[in-house]
Amino acid sequence: MTDEDRPNIDEGNHQQVVVDPSDAVTGLGFVLGLVGAAVGVLAALLAAPQFDAYTIVYCLIGGLAGGSAGVVTGGMIGAVFSVARGTPR
């Protein structure tokens, strides 16, 4: 986005700010990826039959699975929000 494309927003001017779609997709993907990884690790700890060396592997797999699901979901939600709010009408 060039400076010519950006809206000029003054203190008294209440225009709608155009959201850059890549920022919305990246931001929500990152946040929901972290949340998904934490949920995956917690689920692996709760589902593990006992605490041993394999529990670390379960947590790693759960974190990767939850993180990737969070990134995909966050990217999709970010894309929907940026298309809905980012297009000038």
Side-chain angles (χ1 to χ4, degrees), residues 18-87:
V18 178
V19 178
D20 188 15
S22 64
D23 292 340
V25 170
T26 303
L28 278 174
F30 183 76
V31 169
L32 288 183
L34 288 176
V35 170
V39 169
V41 169
L42 183 64
L45 284 174
L46 293 175
Q50 60 187 4
F51 191 77
D52 56 0
Y54 289 114
T55 306
I56 297 171
V57 176
Y58 298 152
C59 288
L60 179 66
I61 293 171
L64 289 174
S68 64
V71 166
V72 169
T73 304
M76 179 188 64
I77 292 171
V80 168
F81 282 156
S82 64
V83 167
R85 298 216 19 122
T87 56

